Amino acid sequence: MTSLDTDTSAAARSAAARPPRPAPPTMNAAVEPALGLGPTLREISRLAEERLAAQVRDYIDGGAGQERTLAANLAAFDAVRLVPRVLTGAGPAGTSVSILGRTWAAPLGIAPMAYHTLVHPDGELASVRAAAAAGLPTVLSMFAGRSLAHVAPEAGSPLWMQIYCLRDRTRVRDLITRAQESGVEAIVLTVDAPVLGPRLRDVRNGFRLPPGVRPANLPGMDAADPAAHALAEFDPWLDWSVIRWLRSISALPIVLKGVLAARDAERAVDEGVDALVVSNHGGRQLDGAPAALDALPAVAAAVAGACPVLLDGGIRRGTDILAALALGADAVLIGRPILHGLAVAGYDGALAVLEILKRELREAMTLAGIATVADVEPDLVAMTAVTTPPAPPVPVPHPHNRAAAPGLSKARLHASLSDPDLDSMAFLNEVTDRFPEALSFAAGRPYEGAFDIERVFDHMRGYLGHLATRGLDAEQIRSCLYQYGPAAGQIRDLIADSLARDEAIDAAAESIVVTVGAQEGMLLTLRALFADAADLLLVATPCYVGIIGAAKLLGVDFAAVQERQDGLVAEDVQAAILAHRARGRRPRALYLVPDHSNPSGNTLSLEERGALLDLAARHDILLIEDSPYRLVSAGQRLPTLKSLDRERRVVHIGSYAKSAFPGARLGYVVADQIVTDPAGHTSLLAAELAKIKSMVTVNTPTLSQAAVAGLLLACDGRLSEANAEAAAHYQENLATLLAELDRHFPPDTRAAANLSWNTPSGGFFLRMRVPFRADEAALTRSARDFGVLWTPMSYFHPEGGGEHEIRLAFSALTPPRIREAVARLARFIEAERRAAQPALEQEAR
């Protein structure tokens, strides 16, 4: 690392001549837990998102263009891997550094950001007070919402002034003069903004500064429309001569912010600048520019220690700071997290952000075996899978012929691997990763706020205690926890008891197989039941893609039975059975989700449940019932098909992903059907499924079984009661979603737009008809331009359909996020409707 002590610098002289400032206030040690800020900046960001108005949040968190560079800043740090050294004798880490002759408590400062007053009335006053309390510097924006006259006296730590070079240089000169007189220690010239980048969120929102928010250091200047103001006032012809001009009007050190190219860094050193900030303006200028971290090593190498190099963009963790130091930075600046902290709790929130990062940096250094910032070396970073394209794969030579380059033809792999149904979820994950800031109606997963980490350990201990009360000794208990266990599972008795108490399902433990999630249950069931090419699986459609994927992987033929608007109807199933038999097919089973179906949200009526059971008996088919959402839905539950089953016509597949937690990956199959072999010997279908399982996953992890078993014991088998709080959350989410849809799309609006949705009674999903083709291209536009994700319903129609429908999953969100997500969705739908209108009018003519 570079030595940065320059006691004879202009900054040191300025600091020595400046009168002492009042001591800043200190953070209340209890403020973090009291405010619920959590241990990371991510939690603070989430809280800020709930507190800020949508337009303000978009202005702060948005980027330029398609926001590729915005996403790349974060992705670059996510890809970094740190390799710690051991036995270094480093002791507790020391984080202080010296930059431009001043000591900072850590290599960290506040980046220049306009209008802190957008998120809190104290604005920059709170920010500089927090920086002073943390012993860190602040770079005050030219477009600060609080004036230098008010801010400078509160700055008990280094204060730098950021400027843009305006066409009217008289204004710039005046501001620099006032800054120097106020005790500012350096001028930070932003050089990457000849105009403002195209910030599409602000364009869509028609963003304007609210009343009372103005550039306090530029009196009389109208900046209510930031983009228009920049276009009129910024100097697009700015060149390197500006450095000499700044030198002519001020003796303050000059820091250039916005450098990404090594050649520009070399030129800056030649021009005698005092420091550089590697930055892409937080992804708000040229979309497609490299992540700041990706550009850092080349810039640092070009500077070669001639001046300090700072990094700005994407810092969200202490390990991010450490990675930046290893790749050549002397310090970093943070932007958006400070505004998030201010939005949550003003001064206390901003200080919490700084202290969290300082603490995380100290912890990371200690764990990496590093004593001081000067000891950070490049080899700390083992690999950075940055945002540049990967190198082409290197073919592996054949061991007997070095010249050969063997490969696999996909045409000779299983046909399911070329099936688009197996790509649909991969596409959705890719879109989610590409647009991490988008609010997601796509993820049908439980709300994480309902999970308590410590409870898992309590459940494990509870299960071990249960084993002891059953008379197992220590060796036997150890075996239950650490060994494979039986293929059918070791907690079947507890599952059977819970099913009896919660679902009125009378199932012997021997009729249950414990599986690795419901997905394995589907695979085992299909493999056992479908033995002949004539066998046919019927699926209620739109259907869960997991059953289609399992069928395709196993080569099981299937056919769809279309749900009506309110769900599946038995007479449609009968018609399908008769039609396929007439073609020589043998319908063997029907797969359905009777309660709060994924994806439609429909629930089968009690009348239709009885009709389906009668139909199954008449036509000698099985019903494969999959109902994961029942025990996390509020209100009265209709009986399961299995509890109504008197002729063993139902194979019941269950999952604890929603009623316990997905990480357990635990499910079960109730298969009490009698199987008779050619010799007349009988067994249960469950025993046959266990044979198949022994050749697939061997057993379900005993640790997962122990965790779920402890939960079942703790709630006396009544998961519905244990999930009452979670069910209330999902019900509130559903009510919020329905209310917001009604608010944004009143009856006359949705009728005119051919827009509609169903009204589920529970579960995680709602189905919506939209006036445009809801395909992958539309989803990408929605995520990129409007910041909201959803799932095309066409994914759930294996034989085609659903092209003008979307699925909205509301379980993983909170009511405030649902309200904002619906607002974004409404803007997207309106934009799509308008874009499609000319074509529709032409078609009508």
Side-chain angles (χ1 to χ4, degrees):
M1 302 296 289
T2 307
S3 174
L4 304 173
D5 293 309
T6 54
D7 291 337
T8 59
S9 70
R13 295 193 299 273
S14 174
R18 188 180 57 203
R21 297 190 174 101
T26 57
M27 183 176 71
N28 180 348
V31 70
E32 261 186 76
L35 291 173
L37 295 183
T40 70
L41 269 57
R42 177 174 293 181
E43 280 80 12
I44 294 178
S45 173
R46 288 173 179 167
L47 283 175
E49 185 172 346
E50 295 175 3
R51 286 161 167 74
L52 291 172
Q55 289 194 355
V56 172
R57 186 164 64 246
D58 279 348
Y59 175 74
I60 291 169
D61 290 342
Q66 299 177 22
E67 300 189 345
R68 293 174 295 163
T69 299
L70 176 69
N73 276 345
L74 300 176
F77 282 105
D78 288 342
V80 166
R81 297 295 178 265
L82 302 176
V83 180
R85 299 295 303 275
V86 297
L87 301 178
T88 63
T95 60
S96 66
V97 293
S98 180
I99 305 286
L100 297 185
R102 294 274 270 150
T103 298
W104 302 359
L108 167 67
I110 297 178
M113 296 166 291
Y115 309 120
H116 293 207
T117 46
L118 271 173
V119 300
H120 193 277
D122 290 344
E124 289 80 5
L125 288 175
S127 300
V128 296
R129 289 168 181 160
L136 301 173
T138 301
V139 184
L140 186 68
S141 170
M142 184 180 201
F143 292 98
R146 289 299 198 118
S147 71
L148 264 170
H150 289 95
V151 171
E154 302 294 328
S157 56
L159 180 67
W160 297 357
M161 184 78 214
Q162 177 266 343
I163 62 167
Y164 296 95
C165 201
L166 307 179
R167 300 184 191 199
D168 182 358
R169 292 200 178 183
T170 303
R171 278 188 178 274
V172 181
R173 181 197 297 268
D174 176 65
L175 180 56
I176 291 175
T177 299
R178 283 185 283 129
Q180 190 162 336
E181 292 171 350
S182 299
V184 164
E185 299 179 18
I187 296 299
V188 179
L189 174 65
T190 294
V191 293
D192 59 2
V195 294
L196 290 191
R199 299 168 191 180
L200 300 184
R201 297 198 206 185
D202 296 346
V203 173
R204 289 193 301 269
N205 293 332
F207 179 77
R208 298 292 185 274
L209 294 178
V213 176
R214 60 183 181 82
N217 292 307
L218 299 169
M221 179 171 282
D222 180 12
D225 182 341
H229 171 264
L231 189 62
E233 300 290 346
F234 286 15
D235 183 358
W237 297 280
L238 201 62
D239 60 21
W240 288 98
S241 66
V242 70
I243 306 297
R244 294 186 291 276
W245 179 74
L246 288 174
R247 292 275 187 228
S248 72
I249 65 171
S250 171
L252 290 177
I254 297 173
V255 180
L256 290 195
K257 179 178 180 292
V259 176
L260 293 173
R263 285 188 299 173
D264 287 341
E266 293 172 353
R267 177 67 183 270
V269 170
D270 291 342
E271 294 288 345
V273 301
D274 298 277
L276 295 178
V277 181
V278 178
S279 171
N280 54 38
H281 216 103
R284 293 163 67 84
Q285 284 301 106
L286 177 62
D287 192 30
L293 187 69
D294 292 357
L296 173 62
V299 170
V303 169
C307 69
V309 174
L310 286 72
L311 176 81
D312 165 48
I315 299 290
R316 297 295 185 270
R317 296 162 294 219
T319 51
D320 295 345
I321 302 175
L322 191 55
L325 297 176
L327 291 173
D330 297 297
V332 303
L333 302 174
I334 60 165
R336 292 178 177 95
I338 288 295
L339 297 183
H340 296 157
L342 286 175
V344 172
Y347 160 82
D348 288 319
L351 182 53
V353 166
L354 297 173
E355 292 296 343
I356 287 168
L357 287 173
K358 287 169 60 180
R359 182 186 70 237
E360 289 180 347
L361 174 61
R362 287 194 302 271
E363 292 169 349
M365 290 174 64
T366 300
L367 290 170
I370 297 169
T372 70
V373 170
D375 296 325
V376 179
E377 298 292 344
D379 62 2
L380 174 66
V381 175
M383 175 275 291
T384 53
V386 292
T387 54
T388 52
V394 179
V396 180
H398 192 281
H400 302 301
N401 181 2
R402 294 292 179 182
L408 296 174
S409 169
K410 199 164 188 178
R412 298 188 64 186
L413 300 179
H414 193 269
S416 64
L417 299 179
S418 299
D419 194 289
D421 282 331
L422 270 68
D423 292 331
S424 59
M425 289 301 105
F427 170 78
L428 193 62
N429 290 334
E430 176 190 336
V431 169
T432 302
D433 291 341
R434 282 169 53 200
F435 304 102
E437 301 298 322
L439 294 177
S440 179
F441 277 131
R445 59 185 187 181
Y447 173 57
E448 292 185 4
F451 299 144
D452 182 343
I453 293 175
E454 291 301 318
R455 202 169 295 167
V456 174
F457 304 107
D458 293 340
H459 294 330
M460 298 277 283
R461 286 187 284 268
Y463 177 62
L464 297 183
H466 167 74
L467 294 178
T469 62
R470 292 178 54 191
L472 275 67
D473 61 27
E475 291 298 322
Q476 291 170 316
I477 291 174
R478 181 182 294 112
S479 179
C480 284
L481 200 61
Y482 284 101
Q483 288 293 355
Y484 293 105
Q490 63 184 28
I491 64 169
R492 294 185 292 167
D493 56 335
L494 294 175
I495 294 175
D497 179 67
S498 177
L499 289 173
R501 293 171 185 266
D502 239 338
E503 297 284 30
I505 294 176
D506 183 13
E510 293 75 17
S511 68
I512 295 173
V513 179
V514 186
T515 60
V516 182
Q519 191 66 33
E520 187 190 29
M522 294 177 204
L523 283 162
L524 299 179
T525 302
L526 295 185
R527 181 68 292 157
L529 295 180
F530 292 83
D532 190 282
D535 289 342
L536 183 70
L537 170 68
L538 300 177
V539 292
T541 303
C543 66
Y544 169 57
V545 295
I547 190 69
I548 300 302
K552 289 183 175 181
L553 286 173
L554 295 173
V556 172
D557 201 4
F558 62 88
V561 181
Q562 189 70 41
E563 283 188 355
R564 300 189 188 184
Q565 190 63 29
D566 296 327
L568 189 66
V569 176
E571 65 182 65
D572 293 340
V573 179
Q574 177 167 278
I577 291 173
L578 296 176
H580 287 294
R581 281 182 177 167
R583 301 186 189 103
R585 311 303 306 281
R586 186 167 51 238
R588 192 86 168 88
L590 167 70
Y591 171 87
L592 73 164
V593 182
D595 299 279
H596 320 302
S597 173
N598 177 9
S600 70
N602 288 334
T603 294
L604 201 65
S605 70
L606 183 59
E607 180 183 4
E608 290 298 336
R609 292 171 197 243
L612 277 175
L613 287 166
D614 290 343
L615 180 149
R618 288 198 315 273
H619 292 283
D620 190 26
I621 69 167
L622 294 175
L623 304 178
I624 302 175
E625 177 184 33
D626 182 9
S627 285
Y629 308 102
R630 289 172 53 83
L631 300 183
V632 287
S633 295
Q636 186 68 32
R637 299 189 305 277
L638 293 174
T640 64
L641 288 168
K642 190 60 186 173
S643 67
L644 299 171
D645 182 20
R646 299 294 176 264
E647 299 188 34
R648 305 194 189 200
R649 289 288 169 186
V650 178
V651 176
H652 182 84
I653 295 178
S655 168
Y656 292 108
K658 313 301 187 293
S659 55
F661 54 95
R665 295 303 303 132
L666 202 77
Y668 57 88
V669 181
V670 180
D672 58 359
Q673 289 72 27
I674 303 296
V675 178
T676 305
D677 70 11
H681 301 129
T682 61
S683 62
L684 291 175
L685 178 58
E688 306 304 318
L689 300 185
K691 290 179 186 176
I692 301 172
K693 180 177 172 60
S694 70
M695 293 296 149
V696 181
T697 56
V698 182
N699 76 311
T700 301
T702 50
L703 290 175
S704 294
Q705 292 189 66
V708 171
L711 171 59
L712 295 176
L713 289 165
C715 68
D716 197 25
R718 293 179 172 84
L719 279 173
S720 57
E721 296 178 7
N723 282 309
E725 184 176 340
H729 169 80
Y730 300 133
Q731 197 68 19
E732 181 186 8
N733 279 6
L734 175 56
T736 301
L737 176 57
L738 291 170
E740 289 299 300
L741 289 174
D742 278 330
R743 185 168 72 85
H744 285 277
F745 305 107
D748 56 342
T749 300
R750 57 181 183 255
N754 194 22
L755 191 70
S756 62
W757 56 85
N758 64 337
T759 306
S761 58
F764 287 9
F765 309 105
L766 176 146
R767 179 175 60 184
M768 186 177 194
R769 180 170 180 81
V770 293
F772 54 87
R773 188 175 182 84
D775 53 14
E776 293 178 357
L779 175 56
T780 299
R781 291 193 298 273
S782 179
R784 179 191 65 209
D785 300 337
F786 295 87
V788 62
L789 283 161
W790 36 266
T791 308
M793 281 292 290
S794 58
Y795 288 0
F796 306 101
H797 287 262
E799 296 180 350
E803 289 84 0
H804 289 82
E805 292 183 319
I806 65 176
R807 187 193 74 174
L808 302 181
F810 51 82
S811 56
L813 300 170
T814 59
R817 291 170 73 86
I818 289 173
R819 284 189 280 271
E820 171 58 20
V822 173
R824 296 184 186 185
L825 181 66
R827 293 194 292 271
F828 165 69
I829 290 174
E830 176 60 17
E832 292 290 304
R833 188 188 68 79
R834 288 183 178 178
Q837 192 63 34
L840 294 174
E841 292 174 353
Q842 179 66 29
E843 185 178 316
R845 288 196 293 268

